[in-house]
Amino acid sequence: MNEWKNNLRKIKPYVPGEQSKEKNIVKLNANENPYPPSPKAIEALKAFNAESLRLYPHADATPLKAAIAEYYGVEIENVFLGNGSDDVIALAFQAFFNSEKPILFPDITYSFYPVWCELFKIPFKTPALNKDFRINIDDYSGENGGIVFPNPNAPTSICEGEEFIRKMLDNNTDSVVIVDEAYVDFGGYSSVKLTKEYENLLVTGTFSKSRSLAGLRIGFAIGSRALVSVLEAVKNSYNSYTVDALSIAMGIESVNDDEYFKATTAKIINTRERLKTELEALGFEVLNSSTNFIFATHKKYNMKEMFEFLKARKVFIRYFNLPRIDNYVRITIGTDIETDILISEINNFLNKGE
């Protein structure tokens, strides 16, 4: 065996939802927004000067930072930008989780967290969610090297409120606490305002879900100047440029089009509640969701079999073959037409043995 192969990194990577190349599918497995981006963002795309792509983008993406800062009522120095929230969180892991003490995150949560820990050699522990898939805050009150969790959580869709977040922060004044708010715009509680009170709180967000810009990869973080300055230093230690010029132009217009943003998120919330009601009428147990997806199970039916049945009919949902949730499915909220097709095919699955 060649000796150089011993030096190759051995790691199990994150596995996203299946990206099928089939045509005419109902794609409800990647938590993408079923509606197009803001018309103002689309106009920015049409007006974009392609010749300018020969130049590097604005190194600090200051115009987009300024738009985000104004929207959230913070200073521009409190905003950090990256190529999707995964990029932002990965940088935050490197910037803040450098203790020999393990960081903490739930046993059922975003599956990229343990991948980053393995990659960056960060020790970690995963306290178990309770039987209702809620975080037991007492599990996060001891010494640790940092805390990270999505709120709302993924894939469970459950969101905690201000009292919970404050208690988490009050119990961990010596640790950086990262609240991953990828899905918060669909009815969850946002901790952004708490960044003005807690210097050790970093809140991350994305334009991929609620703003329909997954293809541009725009992620951001809001936190104290102390945290953001370290994030900037870490980023500039290996890649001094942030998001690209087109992302800056379209991102600004997306932030500025609040009317469209609120209209599309409201449509998704309405469809989510309709889907929840219809599934519960079919005997499913559906967790209360503050996201653009639902997490559901059925006591009488095997969810892996339903996942495969739907896939064969070109309806793609997400199944996790993991302990405690191996009879649950995660279903992204689509359009009303896609939801009609989904319900029809689920009925076909439930009735196939009768």
Side-chain angles (χ1 to χ4, degrees), residues 290-308:
S290 298
T291 65
N292 66 334
F293 61 87
I294 61 169
F295 200 52
T297 187
H298 202 299
K299 290 184 177 179
K300 295 182 180 179
Y301 297 92
N302 184 293
M303 292 297 94
K304 184 178 182 182
E305 291 180 5
M306 188 179 82
F307 161 77
E308 296 290 354

Side-chain angles (χ1 to χ4, degrees), residues 237-249:
S237 296
Y238 81 98
N239 179 7
S240 61
Y241 289 94
T242 181
V243 296
D244 61 73
L246 182 58
S247 295
I248 293 171

Side-chain angles (χ1 to χ4, degrees), residues 38-110:
S38 154
K40 292 183 178 179
I42 294 173
E43 284 302 313
L45 171 63
K46 293 177 179 178
F48 187 79
N49 179 11
E51 291 185 6
S52 69
L53 292 176
R54 67 184 180 80
L55 304 173
Y56 286 116
H58 195 295
D60 294 323
T62 301
L64 180 52
K65 283 184 180 179
I68 293 172
E70 181 178 0
Y71 185 84
Y72 287 99
V74 298
E75 300 299 321
I76 195 169
E77 293 83 3
N78 300 123
V79 178
F80 177 82
L81 281 176
N83 290 284
S85 60
D86 285 344
D87 181 43
V88 173
I89 300 171
L91 286 166
F93 270 49
Q94 296 174 77
F96 309 134
F97 297 157
N98 295 294
S99 167
E100 294 181 355
K101 301 171 186 176
I103 70 167
L104 305 177
F105 51 85
D107 65 330
I108 301 171
T109 194
Y110 186 32

Side-chain angles (χ1 to χ4, degrees), residues 236-293:
N236 290 332
S237 296
Y238 81 98
N239 179 7
S240 61
Y241 289 94
T242 181
V243 296
D244 61 73
L246 182 58
S247 295
I248 293 171
M250 293 183 69
I252 291 170
E253 294 305 319
S254 178
V255 172
N256 290 340
D257 196 354
D258 199 42
E259 181 179 355
Y260 182 82
F261 168 75
K262 289 177 178 175
T264 53
T265 52
K267 284 198 291 187
I268 289 168
I269 290 169
N270 289 336
T271 304
R272 180 189 73 204
E273 295 308 304
R274 171 205 159 194
L275 177 59
K276 182 176 187 291
T277 298
E278 294 199 32
L279 288 179
E280 288 176 337
L282 295 173
F284 284 83
E285 295 179 11
V286 183
L287 276 63
N288 289 327
S289 174
S290 298
T291 65
N292 66 334
F293 61 87

Side-chain angles (χ1 to χ4, degrees), residues 107-288:
D107 65 330
I108 301 171
T109 194
Y110 186 32
S111 55
F112 224 142
Y113 298 159
V115 174
W116 286 319
C117 286
E118 294 289 342
L119 182 63
F120 304 136
K121 301 187 183 303
I122 299 169
F124 67 96
K125 290 184 179 179
T126 55
L129 299 179
N130 67 19
K131 62 181 180 62
D132 297 318
F133 296 123
R134 306 290 288 268
I135 294 173
N136 181 358
I137 201 163
D138 291 336
D139 292 336
Y140 295 78
S141 60
E143 281 195 350
N144 60 75
I147 291 170
V148 58
F149 62 96
N151 195 46
N153 196 10
T156 65
S157 75
I158 295 174
C159 188
E160 302 293 350
E162 181 175 345
E163 182 180 356
F164 176 94
I165 303 298
R166 284 187 178 277
K167 187 174 181 181
M168 180 72 81
L169 290 162
D170 290 338
N171 289 347
N172 293 280
T173 56
D174 293 328
S175 302
V176 173
V177 177
I178 301 174
V179 181
D180 178 354
E181 293 190 353
Y183 302 101
V184 77
D185 294 326
F186 301 100
Y189 166 76
S190 176
S191 304
V192 166
K193 70 175 185 178
L194 299 183
T195 61
K196 298 178 180 180
E197 299 180 45
Y198 296 89
E199 195 176 19
N200 61 323
L201 170 62
L202 188 81
V203 177
T204 64
T206 178
F207 282 39
S208 296
K209 276 64 175 180
S210 57
R211 297 190 182 277
S212 306
L213 291 174
L216 286 186
R217 314 306 301 130
I218 304 174
F220 65 95
I222 296 174
S224 65
R225 294 188 183 190
L227 294 183
V228 170
S229 64
V230 175
L231 274 175
E232 296 284 3
V234 171
K235 175 180 73 69
N236 290 332
S237 296
Y238 81 98
N239 179 7
S240 61
Y241 289 94
T242 181
V243 296
D244 61 73
L246 182 58
S247 295
I248 293 171
M250 293 183 69
I252 291 170
E253 294 305 319
S254 178
V255 172
N256 290 340
D257 196 354
D258 199 42
E259 181 179 355
Y260 182 82
F261 168 75
K262 289 177 178 175
T264 53
T265 52
K267 284 198 291 187
I268 289 168
I269 290 169
N270 289 336
T271 304
R272 180 189 73 204
E273 295 308 304
R274 171 205 159 194
L275 177 59
K276 182 176 187 291
T277 298
E278 294 199 32
L279 288 179
E280 288 176 337
L282 295 173
F284 284 83
E285 295 179 11
V286 183
L287 276 63
N288 289 327

